[in-house]
Amino acid sequence: MKTYKAKKGPLMQGILLAMLVLPLAYGFLGTKPWKEKLRRIIPLTAPALFIIWPYVATRYQIRGHSFNYKSGYIKGEIDIGSIRTILKGKTRWVGVKPALATGGLIVKYNRYDDVYIAPEDSDALIADLLTINPSIQVIPPGKDP
């Protein structure tokens, strides 16, 4: 089993930090009693934690002949033998997107299925997929399929 970390965009880090700091600052400011402060903080930080979950828990794994991806509540498994094409340096704005950054990989498998991922080391992931399924067509950035 080999695990790959997800690439994280710099803008995402700033947004997530603000989502945690602002509710906490709002809750702790003022002279209200501690119980009242907790009533402010909990409803404000709960959505922030739900949004931060994919940021912390996004990963990609190769287990035997299957490729697994997980990003928060989005997860799936792809048979590596069914992967047809990998588009490098592309960004997908709609569809299944267990990724945190732009400029990742679009993995096309089966007949009409695809998923957008953004690993830190795309070349290592592609090389490992090619060792299992050498018939995968890798299309470099700038080329159309």
Side-chain angles (χ1 to χ4, degrees):
M1 174 175 65
K2 195 158 186 182
T3 302
Y4 302 89
K5 292 182 180 180
K7 180 170 46 173
K8 298 172 180 152
L11 178 64
M12 183 74 113
Q13 293 173 353
I15 291 171
L16 293 175
L17 182 64
M19 287 179 68
L20 275 179
V21 170
L22 292 176
L24 291 174
Y26 173 75
F28 285 119
L29 292 177
T31 58
K32 301 224 182 228
W34 181 247
K35 223 177 192 184
E36 184 64 32
K37 288 180 182 181
L38 278 179
R39 287 187 194 148
R40 285 183 179 183
I41 293 171
I42 292 173
L44 293 173
T45 56
L49 293 174
F50 187 69
I51 293 170
I52 290 171
W53 179 28
Y55 184 78
V56 175
T58 298
R59 68 177 186 276
Y60 314 108
Q61 292 180 331
I62 295 177
R63 291 183 185 181
H65 288 281
S66 67
F67 174 72
N68 299 323
Y69 57 87
K70 184 171 183 185
S71 179
Y73 49 86
I74 300 171
K75 62 182 175 179
E77 183 175 346
I78 301 169
D79 178 29
I80 296 175
S82 69
I83 297 176
R84 299 177 294 117
T85 309
I86 297 177
L87 303 170
K88 288 179 72 175
K90 297 284 187 175
T91 300
R92 168 74 38 103
W93 300 104
V94 295
V96 180
K97 187 181 172 194
L100 304 171
T102 58
L105 305 171
I106 298 176
V107 178
K108 296 184 178 224
Y109 60 100
N110 293 336
R111 188 168 184 141
Y112 300 110
D113 299 323
D114 62 2
V115 64
Y116 174 77
I117 60 172
E120 278 184 348
D121 192 359
S122 298
D123 294 328
L125 176 63
I126 291 171
D128 289 341
L129 290 173
L130 286 172
T131 58
I132 297 169
N133 181 3
S135 67
I136 297 174
Q137 180 184 9
V138 179
I139 300 174
K143 303 260 183 168
D144 287 330

